[in-house]
Amino acid sequence: MSLFPREFPMLKYSLAVLLLSAPAIAQSTAVWEAGPAMPTGGVAKTHAVGIELGGQLFVMGGPPWTAGDNEDGSVYSMPLGGSSWTEEIGFDGIGYILGQGGGVDSLGRIIIFGGDRPDEPGNERLPFEWNSVEGPWTDHAARGTLAPAIGFAYCTDDSSRIYSLGGGNGVGASASNPNSAYCERFIGNLDIWEPIAPMPTPVANAAACFDGLGHILVIGGVSADGSSRLNQVLQYDIASDTWSSTAVADMPIAVSDHKATLGADGRVYVLGGTVGPIGTWTATAGVMVYNPLTNEWADGPEMSVARRNFASLLGSDDRIYVFGGENLSGGSYGTESLYTTPCPRFSSQPVDTTVWAHTTIGINCQTLGGGVITYQWFKDGQPLADGPADGGGVIAGSQTSSLSIQEAAEADEGLYWVVAMNSCGEVTSSGASVVVRVPPSISTNWTWTNLHPSVAESSYATAVDGGVQVGNAIFDTPEYNNIDHPWKWSGSAASGVNLTPSGSQGGSVLDFKGDKLVGWWWWPYQCYISGQWYTCYLRRGAWWNLNGSFHATNYSGYEYTLMSATDGVSVVGTGTTDDASGNVYNKAVIWQAPTHEFAYSLHPTGYRNSSASAVDGDDQYGTASLPFAIVHAARWSGTSSTFVDMHPSWASNSAIVDASDGQQVGVVNQWSNSHAVIWSGTPESIIDIHPDGALSSTVSDCEGGLQLGAVNYDDGTGSHPGIWAGSASTFVDLSAVVPAGYSGLSLTAIDVAPDGTISLVGSARNISLNRTEAVLLTATPDSSECTADFTGDGVLDVFDVFAFLDAFNLGELIADFTGDGLLDVFDVFAFL
């Protein structure tokens, strides 16, 4: 049954307008798929309202009537992806009505409104709420007195406000009884109908749709006097409460009694309806697709059945559903759906990154969307392709979500972005600035300085910063033989200072930065043994200021502690406990600035042991151990819950031993053919710097883009100490630096000064005295590489000052003399 006058057939329309935006199709590969037929007993399901709520599809109202002719409208439901419909409680007590609208309000309620009894026109009832337990059970605020009972278009915006737009008798209207321009919307939490600005022209039997961009579109319909079908599109701007009749291009043909649904691809699908002159009509299966971004129309895939006065909705599965409808064959109780591929959108954007030369640039994004998403990366506006990079390295992943450039160089600096594309369209990411920092040149001219104290039997230098070296000296004390003592030097053996605290037997300094020296000491306490009191000692973490001031710390839950690393602000290390069975457990800990008095556990759940051996800003690094001696490199950001497993899947075990300037260094496979490696904050950033032909390699420290360690070759020559500058090919062997009379040079720490001076500390074997001695190696930049010679003429003069200031004022990174990636007054001081 139809509420509207019958008309005569005409040919199905076809469109001649193509969507020209990229891609220049309107889901051309999508097809309508048949769904389960509704259980109507063969009666066409017309004038229904389509709604999805909580993953359930509802087709509400209209025939078949629940108790015979002229009774209540029926309601069917089915879960998304379901195979059959369930008959729900119908519009019990509402009666035989057609032309109603509906939606889900801001409180999550199904609201049904409007409609009229064809045999008793003018008997409109109150809007009501429907649910599957009670059916219609709560009335709501009455619509405005000017709101037509039938023929209105309806939709819901992104704030869950339900709109009623225009309406009237459609083709039965006349100049004396015209269709309406009145518009209102239901605000659920206030239970009111709020009038909005009237449409510029009256219209009935139109379709309405939210366009996703802040507008309501009223599409097509029947003119004010019922004399013509319309192809116009009226646009309501929600923010300004204004209408436009020209903002949206007209449809290729006129249509009424249709539906309009916003697809997941951001396009508006105008579905089916009545076409042809007034008095000569046919239902169509055609689909027109509007792209709000380009203001263009295109053909869409036709439905399998011609329909008018049917229900439609966009499901949360990104499919547009249509239900029932009428046509010249009587109508349909079938359903079908069309997948609308969501356009890609970025859930994470590329971010600015700074890397050291010779390492790997890694930039990535994450996208959401449907279908197959493809990518294209750009640098400074030029598309990238896998293969050679501007700086001589290798580009990979230029057509994926993750771009990498191996062996980065200064020429690879620039602005990078990515375009993500699918059959819906494309989206461009924000730009990510890439800065490549260049490590200082590794000199071949080194000065060897012996730091061994005259009182010591052996000594070791463990850290260096700003012309100061620290470590330990081993010699006897009363009652104890071969005890470690914390030691500090200032560039010579004679400058050495014993930092052993009063009352202690000794200790050791393990790391040093700025004004903070960290390590451990022998903590004295009174113990009762065999009826006597003795002074006993436990190894406890401790730290010193550069001036030698000593700071003991308190502990809770740890028998032994060790402060192993500092960046000059934070301190990390390890706490040790045991159980009644004698099992010993180590846990990574952090001591919070400024007092570093108490240790807080970083130990991750599910791991047997852990240790912290490096800290760089907000992040801490070390290891986390699983059973069966499986050790994984680890990262934390201040708490145990921030643990990140940095272990590469291709290695048997891994460990991070130091971190500085955004790099982390360590080893993989450390118990069998170990390889020195570098990370840059993420597990996937790992770089293997193991030189070709080497048997094994290890790394102990990093700073300023340089890495310190040793390489063993399968030639019987033993360990070769050396420095890398970010890649395997940059390894510089320092074996030749060892003077006659020494062997077994082991380098533990590196310091890179702002002027490029490199200082290394460690220990070597004094062959004639048969002892291990702390040593310092220093190298200053070659004069030919004087960084302050900005004019490059080999002379330092006022013109270099002018050139530096020009570069500084222009923000050029060549003026970054401190190497911290910033241009500030400290760069000026360093240049001067």
Side-chain angles (χ1 to χ4, degrees), residues 251-420:
M251 291 184 293
I253 69 163
V255 62
S256 64
D257 311 313
H258 53 301
K259 291 296 180 185
T261 302
L262 179 66
D265 56 3
R267 293 165 169 83
V268 175
Y269 287 72
V270 178
L271 310 161
T274 306
V275 294
I278 300 299
T280 306
W281 73 273
T282 189
T284 179
V287 176
M288 294 179 283
V289 182
Y290 174 70
N291 187 338
L293 297 178
T294 62
N295 194 27
E296 294 176 308
W297 290 91
D299 277 319
E302 289 190 352
M303 298 180 290
S304 63
V305 176
R307 309 171 189 272
R308 73 172 198 169
N309 298 322
F310 58 97
S312 176
L313 60 85
L314 175 69
S316 56
D317 56 359
D318 300 325
R319 304 187 74 88
I320 290 177
Y321 288 85
V322 293
F323 311 101
E326 62 182 350
N327 51 45
L328 289 176
S329 299
S332 171
Y333 50 87
T335 67
E336 53 186 318
S337 65
L338 176 74
Y339 180 68
T340 56
T341 305
C343 288
R345 63 186 188 277
F346 290 103
S347 56
S348 69
Q349 298 268 3
V351 297
D352 294 348
T353 185
T354 298
V355 301
W356 287 99
H358 310 297
T359 62
T360 299
I361 296 171
I363 320 172
N364 58 73
C365 67
Q366 291 182 339
T367 55
L368 301 173
V372 176
I373 299 177
T374 59
Y375 302 88
Q376 176 61 60
W377 284 92
F378 293 80
K379 177 199 172 196
D380 295 332
Q382 297 301 312
L384 298 176
D386 289 0
D390 291 342
V394 178
I395 297 173
S398 60
Q399 277 80 48
T400 71
S401 60
S402 297
L403 175 73
S404 68
I405 302 178
Q406 299 176 3
E407 290 280 351
E410 282 186 285
D412 296 313
E413 288 189 336
L415 190 66
Y416 290 75
W417 65 85
V418 64
V419 176

Side-chain angles (χ1 to χ4, degrees), residues 564-749:
S564 57
T566 182
D567 62 353
V569 178
S570 298
V571 179
V572 298
T574 306
T576 301
T577 59
D578 55 19
D579 59 22
S581 301
N583 298 307
V584 176
Y585 300 94
N586 295 315
K587 294 185 178 181
V589 294
I590 184 171
W591 287 267
Q592 298 290 353
T595 64
H596 310 294
E597 185 174 1
F598 296 101
Y600 300 89
S601 175
L602 294 174
H603 184 73
T605 302
Y607 287 80
R608 180 181 178 87
N609 291 290
S610 61
S611 65
S613 54
V615 57
D616 186 16
D618 294 332
D619 297 315
Q620 305 81 42
Y621 303 91
T623 62
S625 304
L626 293 162
F628 308 108
I630 299 174
V631 179
H632 285 192
R635 188 192 84 197
W636 297 269
S637 298
T639 62
S640 60
S641 63
T642 60
F643 168 76
V644 175
D645 190 337
M646 300 283 282
H647 179 72
S649 59
W650 47 265
S652 60
N653 48 65
S654 59
I656 293 175
V657 299
D658 191 60
S660 180
D661 299 316
Q663 286 189 337
Q664 305 86 48
V665 295
V667 294
V668 297
N669 307 329
Q670 61 259 51
W671 296 301
S672 177
N673 299 324
S674 63
H675 282 211
V677 292
I678 304 172
W679 289 266
S680 298
T682 61
E684 60 273 10
S685 66
I686 191 169
I687 300 173
D688 190 341
I689 59 173
H690 183 76
D692 291 341
L695 181 64
S696 64
S697 58
T698 59
V699 63
S700 58
D701 200 16
C702 65
E703 185 166 300
L706 301 178
Q707 304 80 40
L708 184 67
V711 175
N712 282 296
Y713 296 96
D714 191 16
D715 57 6
T717 58
S719 178
H720 294 246
I723 303 176
W724 291 266
S727 67
S729 63
T730 60
F731 180 72
V732 176
D733 192 335
L734 297 181
S735 298
V737 174
V738 181
Y742 285 87
S743 65
L745 174 62
S746 175
L747 296 172
T748 57

Side-chain angles (χ1 to χ4, degrees), residues 143-510:
R143 301 171 67 208
T145 58
L146 296 178
I150 58 173
F152 54 85
Y154 61 93
C155 67
T156 303
D157 67 15
D158 56 349
S159 296
S160 298
R161 293 171 294 195
I162 305 171
Y163 289 74
S164 172
L165 306 157
N169 291 325
V171 297
S174 64
S176 60
N177 184 28
N179 291 318
S180 175
Y182 178 77
C183 299
E184 62 183 359
R185 61 190 175 195
F186 181 69
I187 302 176
N189 62 317
L190 300 177
D191 193 28
I192 61 171
W193 286 90
E194 177 185 59
I196 61 174
M199 291 185 291
T201 57
V203 63
N205 300 90
C209 180
F210 177 64
D211 71 353
L213 300 175
H215 310 114
I216 300 294
L217 305 184
V218 177
I219 302 168
V222 175
S223 63
D225 61 2
S227 63
S228 62
R229 231 176 297 279
L230 303 173
N231 68 342
Q232 71 176 8
V233 181
L234 304 178
Q235 183 192 78
Y236 174 70
D237 184 79
I238 297 173
S240 63
D241 188 32
T242 58
W243 289 88
S244 171
S245 58
T246 59
V248 177
D250 289 343
M251 291 184 293
I253 69 163
V255 62
S256 64
D257 311 313
H258 53 301
K259 291 296 180 185
T261 302
L262 179 66
D265 56 3
R267 293 165 169 83
V268 175
Y269 287 72
V270 178
L271 310 161
T274 306
V275 294
I278 300 299
T280 306
W281 73 273
T282 189
T284 179
V287 176
M288 294 179 283
V289 182
Y290 174 70
N291 187 338
L293 297 178
T294 62
N295 194 27
E296 294 176 308
W297 290 91
D299 277 319
E302 289 190 352
M303 298 180 290
S304 63
V305 176
R307 309 171 189 272
R308 73 172 198 169
N309 298 322
F310 58 97
S312 176
L313 60 85
L314 175 69
S316 56
D317 56 359
D318 300 325
R319 304 187 74 88
I320 290 177
Y321 288 85
V322 293
F323 311 101
E326 62 182 350
N327 51 45
L328 289 176
S329 299
S332 171
Y333 50 87
T335 67
E336 53 186 318
S337 65
L338 176 74
Y339 180 68
T340 56
T341 305
C343 288
R345 63 186 188 277
F346 290 103
S347 56
S348 69
Q349 298 268 3
V351 297
D352 294 348
T353 185
T354 298
V355 301
W356 287 99
H358 310 297
T359 62
T360 299
I361 296 171
I363 320 172
N364 58 73
C365 67
Q366 291 182 339
T367 55
L368 301 173
V372 176
I373 299 177
T374 59
Y375 302 88
Q376 176 61 60
W377 284 92
F378 293 80
K379 177 199 172 196
D380 295 332
Q382 297 301 312
L384 298 176
D386 289 0
D390 291 342
V394 178
I395 297 173
S398 60
Q399 277 80 48
T400 71
S401 60
S402 297
L403 175 73
S404 68
I405 302 178
Q406 299 176 3
E407 290 280 351
E410 282 186 285
D412 296 313
E413 288 189 336
L415 190 66
Y416 290 75
W417 65 85
V418 64
V419 176
M421 300 160 281
N422 68 2
S423 61
C424 168
E426 64 182 43
V427 61
T428 301
S429 74
S430 58
S433 175
V434 172
V435 175
V436 179
R437 300 172 67 182
V438 180
S441 300
I442 303 173
S443 175
T444 56
N445 298 313
W446 292 86
T447 299
W448 176 285
T449 302
N450 189 308
L451 297 177
H452 184 72
S454 59
V455 298
E457 298 176 14
S458 58
S459 58
Y460 301 84
T462 57
V464 56
D465 185 46
V468 176
Q469 306 82 40
V470 297
N472 62 71
I474 300 175
F475 54 88
D476 294 348
T477 61
E479 302 182 38
Y480 298 95
N481 298 324
N482 297 319
I483 296 295
D484 291 335
H485 294 81
W487 218 261
K488 181 186 76 169
W489 298 271
S490 299
S492 66
S495 67
V497 176
N498 185 351
L499 299 178
T500 301
S502 176
S504 175
Q505 294 293 327
S508 181
V509 181
L510 302 179

